[in-house]
Amino acid sequence: MCGLAGIIARTPNIELGATIEKMTDSMRQRGPDAKGILTRNNTALGHRRLQIIDLTDQGQQPMADPELGLDVAFNGCIYNFQEIRQALKEKGYRFFSVSDTEVIGKAYHAWGKESFKRFNGMFAIAINDWRNNEVVLTRDRLGIKPLYYSDTDSALLFASTTQAILASGLVSPELDPAALNFYMSFHSVVPAPKTLLKEIKKVEPGTYQVWREGQKLQEIRWWQLSNKQLSSDKGMSTEDWKEALLRRLHRAVERRSIADVPVGVLLSGGVDSSLITGLLAQYSAQPLHTYSIGFEASGGERGDEFEYSDLIAKHFGTEHHKIEIPSHELLKHLPESFKAMSEPMVSYDNIAFWLLSREVSKDMKVVQSGQGADEVFGGYHWYPPLMSPQADAGTYCQYFMDQNFERYQQMVQSRWVEQDYAGDFVRDHFASGISDSTINSALQLDTTVMLTEDPVKRVDNMTMAWGLEARVPFLDHEVVELAARMPPELKVKDDGKWILKEAARHVIPNAVIDRPKGYFPVPALKYIEGPYLEMVRDTLNSAACRERGLFQAHYIDTLLDNPKEHLTPLRGSRLWQVALLELWLQTHQI
């Protein structure tokens, strides 16, 4: 887990060395253990390293392989790199390290772009194939690892964060009206390739780009999720599906235990993280370290789930760490969580992950996390209505979208209104025929877009703010592909995740499985009052906010007058959605 950066200069006046230094230094927190810079002709690569696999200098990046004519900068982990390494050895390749980075370079030399399909892992990769005068950028199937780029007149820039691209000084931070519409309407989800900043894009998950002399030659999708059943699936019983799922999960968790440092678990007390704890405990020679966080109650809502995380920790004999955060600590560190965001993320639990990661990183570099299970296995409340034969894209919008286009036009100033980008995106997805039912269309959309642009991005940004690598077994692509082929009723049944819960009964206590569904609670941000309301009021009444002119003044006043009355269909605060965007813009001086 690291941070990468790169430049292909198009004009001679760019100081490659100085610019790549600034970009790389801006990501120090992603890789506190080492720094590397490599320039070759008009191309430069930078890297910040978090040492997890191959702790020696031989694993340093950017990694040059002059024998093959390749330089590699990589963020993430290839969990099956040892199997691929053995296959490459049998083809005659020689290795100078024991890192997964070197395997990436040699696999690319052996199999070209087809090599990406062999990787089981999370990754953002930049390969400077200097003998062929090409730079290749690619990103893992589900976008677990971020990769941004900016195609300017003077250079192509790419990096693990938007902050690194802005640090180059070569990109104008102009807002994109289309992305603003997505952010305000699609629950802060801005699908790739867009970001809120017009000049910065995202490499789409499961794709690669080929650049020569700074010009894009190709952009190819090499992975696409399908929920069409295989012929071999037709005769599978419920018990068969359950057994197949449990085998895949065992393998996914085992793969993510590969490291030259200890691996812990972020244990919320829910089914997902509890199941990971139970499975990982089987592969740990030493007592497994687990971590839970809790906050003060607010608005009559508890701020922790320690009752259930304690139960799991005791059941599996883990070294359990309970982290309790007082409200003043939460308020104090909110600005730092905004600073860690590559894009504005509205979910309340950003600060929870930031604070949890701060504490965990004091004695761990790697943890496994339960992110992704709700999207992959149908765990959210909007899925059961989508099982109806009458359900369509409008049903999905009714339950998930924060507001329709008519309301959006009442919120933002007219100069930012162009068209209903978010609504059109959702309707086009449901009409595409990529899935055979409304529920499968929704599950695919949430797994491949919403999941990437909200929960997964949140975990990456907040954990990497402290140099902590978070691995997500539920997003092992073999697990995701199996789940996508399952009959949807096995997932959505009985309030969701039914098949996952039934598989979990073989591993964890029923008391955790049959409990009411919980979330990562941060009640002080859900019920904006007291000092939190004052912070929001000051931000939205600031000269910077007024001069920016994103929102209608009367709309801001209405939200501030009674925050608790203005909630989205997902029960999120409209006031926090607006304030978070402005706080992010001000934090990053945009």
Side-chain angles (χ1 to χ4, degrees):
M1 185 75 74
C2 311
L4 67 87
I7 311 171
I8 304 175
R10 295 190 175 115
T11 57
N13 61 332
I14 292 179
E15 296 182 17
L16 268 183
T19 305
I20 198 68
E21 284 272 358
K22 287 189 289 187
M23 294 175 70
T24 305
D25 288 347
S26 75
M27 298 184 293
R28 186 185 185 283
Q29 75 284 357
R30 289 187 74 93
D33 295 333
K35 170 184 169 182
I37 299 288
L38 178 61
T39 60
R40 198 182 298 278
N41 301 322
N42 67 332
T43 301
L45 294 176
H47 194 266
R48 293 292 326 196
R49 187 180 180 204
L50 181 65
Q51 294 173 318
I52 290 173
I53 292 176
D54 190 350
L55 309 184
T56 71
D57 289 343
Q58 279 67 44
Q60 178 73 333
Q61 295 187 52
M63 182 175 285
D65 196 329
E67 186 175 310
L68 305 183
L70 299 173
D71 305 324
V72 179
F74 157 58
N75 167 30
C77 185
I78 308 298
Y79 304 120
N80 62 338
F81 80 97
Q82 292 167 333
E83 302 160 34
I84 299 172
R85 177 189 173 99
Q86 183 58 40
L88 289 164
K89 278 188 170 183
E90 292 170 4
K91 290 175 71 69
Y93 285 89
R94 298 171 297 173
F95 289 82
F96 53 81
S97 76
V98 292
S99 71
D100 51 349
T101 308
E102 187 181 6
V103 168
I104 290 171
K106 286 180 166 58
Y108 181 80
H109 185 269
W111 300 298
K113 285 85 173 176
E114 288 295 305
S115 61
F116 307 143
K117 297 177 182 178
R118 294 174 179 255
F119 299 157
N120 183 298
M122 53 182 186
F123 50 87
I125 302 169
I127 299 172
N128 182 13
D129 183 356
W130 46 268
R131 288 191 179 174
N132 292 314
N133 197 28
E134 290 182 351
V135 170
V136 179
L137 306 178
T138 193
R139 193 172 172 205
D140 66 69
R141 296 165 179 84
L142 290 151
I144 304 167
K145 291 294 100 194
L147 186 54
Y148 296 92
Y149 70 100
S150 183
D151 187 6
T152 74
D153 291 339
S154 59
L156 170 73
L157 304 109
F158 51 89
S160 297
T161 68
T162 58
Q163 296 95 315
I165 291 178
L166 291 172
S168 72
L170 301 174
V171 175
S172 170
E174 181 183 353
L175 298 186
D176 183 349
L180 178 64
N181 175 257
F182 273 110
Y183 172 85
M184 293 303 303
S185 305
F186 199 18
H187 201 56
S188 84
V189 170
V190 179
K194 291 185 179 298
T195 74
L196 198 68
L197 304 179
K198 187 177 287 186
E199 290 192 19
I200 300 180
K201 308 296 184 187
K202 291 174 282 212
V203 175
E204 295 192 44
T207 68
Y208 67 78
Q209 298 179 354
V210 180
W211 296 79
R212 180 174 294 162
E213 293 296 331
Q215 303 301 314
K216 189 191 290 185
L217 299 183
Q218 285 183 309
E219 184 166 8
I220 303 294
R221 179 167 298 282
W222 55 267
W223 183 82
Q224 176 74 59
L225 181 63
S226 172
N227 50 38
K228 305 265 175 37
Q229 288 200 339
L230 305 176
S231 57
S232 57
D233 297 335
K234 301 299 183 183
M236 288 185 69
S237 66
T238 299
E239 194 64 29
D240 293 335
W241 284 114
K242 185 173 68 174
E243 290 176 4
L245 173 57
L246 202 51
R247 285 196 303 271
R248 295 283 172 90
L249 286 172
H250 268 284
R251 183 68 176 126
V253 169
E254 182 184 19
R255 279 174 171 151
R256 283 154 185 78
S257 67
I258 294 171
D260 295 329
V261 296
V263 178
V265 178
L266 302 183
L267 176 60
S268 70
V271 173
D272 312 330
S273 61
S274 298
L275 177 54
I276 289 171
T277 301
L279 293 173
L280 187 56
Q282 302 176 28
Y283 303 109
S284 299
Q286 304 298 323
L288 180 62
H289 285 253
T290 52
Y291 301 83
S292 300
I293 191 168
F295 300 90
E296 291 178 24
S298 181
E301 183 174 342
R302 286 187 60 178
D304 69 73
E305 295 189 328
F306 290 151
E307 173 187 354
Y308 298 102
S309 57
D310 286 353
L311 188 159
I312 290 295
K314 182 177 180 180
H315 186 83
F316 292 103
T318 73
E319 289 282 340
H320 191 49
H321 309 261
K322 286 197 294 189
I323 301 159
E324 300 183 60
I325 305 293
S327 287
H328 72 270
E329 186 86 350
L330 183 69
L331 185 62
K332 174 184 174 183
H333 292 291
L334 267 175
E336 292 168 87
S337 73
F338 305 147
K339 187 177 180 181
M341 296 177 186
S342 276
E343 301 174 69
M345 292 174 273
V346 76
S347 295
Y348 307 124
D349 59 6
N350 282 295
I351 184 61
F353 274 109
W354 190 93
L355 289 165
L356 178 60
S357 300
R358 180 189 66 177
E359 299 306 310
V360 175
S361 67
K362 292 175 182 177
D363 51 30
M364 282 278 161
K365 284 187 173 184
V366 185
V367 289
Q368 295 198 25
S369 169
Q371 291 300 122
D374 283 305
E375 293 83 359
V376 173
F377 292 100
Y380 289 124
H381 71 270
W382 58 87
Y383 296 132
L386 293 167
M387 291 288 289
S388 167
Q390 287 75 44
D392 57 13
T395 313
Y396 178 89
C397 292
Q398 174 189 343
Y399 280 89
F400 185 79
M401 301 285 278
D402 289 335
Q403 48 259 323
N404 60 25
F405 189 54
E406 181 181 359
R407 185 185 181 97
Y408 176 75
Q409 291 173 287
Q410 298 167 1
M411 297 164 54
V412 303
Q413 294 195 18
S414 58
R415 67 191 181 96
W416 295 100
V417 176
E418 293 181 348
Q419 66 186 67
D420 187 11
Y421 293 103
D424 290 344
F425 177 86
V426 171
R427 287 185 287 271
D428 288 348
H429 172 83
F430 279 84
S432 68
I434 198 169
S435 299
D436 58 4
S437 64
T438 299
I439 181 60
N440 274 336
S441 290
L443 288 166
Q444 185 182 64
L445 178 61
D446 288 355
T447 298
T448 59
V449 178
M450 183 271 280
L451 176 61
T452 300
E453 300 301 341
D454 187 9
V456 164
K457 184 164 58 184
R458 184 189 327 152
V459 171
D460 172 85
N461 282 205
M462 297 303 118
T463 55
M464 289 309 295
W466 292 99
L468 178 67
E469 174 171 303
R471 298 176 173 180
V472 280
F474 289 112
L475 297 188
D476 183 292
H477 74 272
E478 294 179 1
V479 171
V480 172
E481 289 170 346
L482 177 71
R485 297 188 342 249
M486 288 179 177
E489 57 271 16
L490 294 183
K491 293 174 280 189
V492 179
K493 180 180 175 182
D494 290 352
D495 297 324
K497 292 194 293 192
W498 181 84
I499 189 74
L500 181 64
K501 292 173 183 176
E502 292 305 299
R505 294 187 193 279
H506 294 270
V507 182
I508 61 176
N510 287 338
V512 173
I513 298 169
D514 297 326
R515 54 164 290 193
K517 182 175 177 58
Y519 294 91
F520 211 159
V522 190
L525 287 182
K526 185 175 180 180
Y527 305 99
I528 300 175
E529 53 193 11
Y532 298 93
L533 181 57
E534 290 308 306
M535 175 191 69
V536 166
R537 191 185 303 278
D538 290 345
T539 300
L540 296 179
N541 286 330
S542 67
C545 182
R546 290 196 301 270
E547 290 169 10
R548 196 185 317 281
L550 287 180
F551 299 102
Q552 301 275 8
H554 68 83
Y555 177 70
I556 298 296
D557 292 341
T558 299
L559 295 182
L560 288 169
D561 285 345
N562 201 333
K564 294 180 183 179
E565 281 192 4
H566 300 281
L567 303 177
T568 69
L570 292 180
R571 310 301 293 168
S573 167
R574 296 189 191 277
L575 178 60
W576 183 244
Q577 183 183 43
V578 169
L580 185 279
L581 175 57
E582 182 61 32
L583 285 161
W584 183 82
L585 290 167
Q586 292 188 20
T587 299
H588 294 275
Q589 300 181 335
I590 295 171

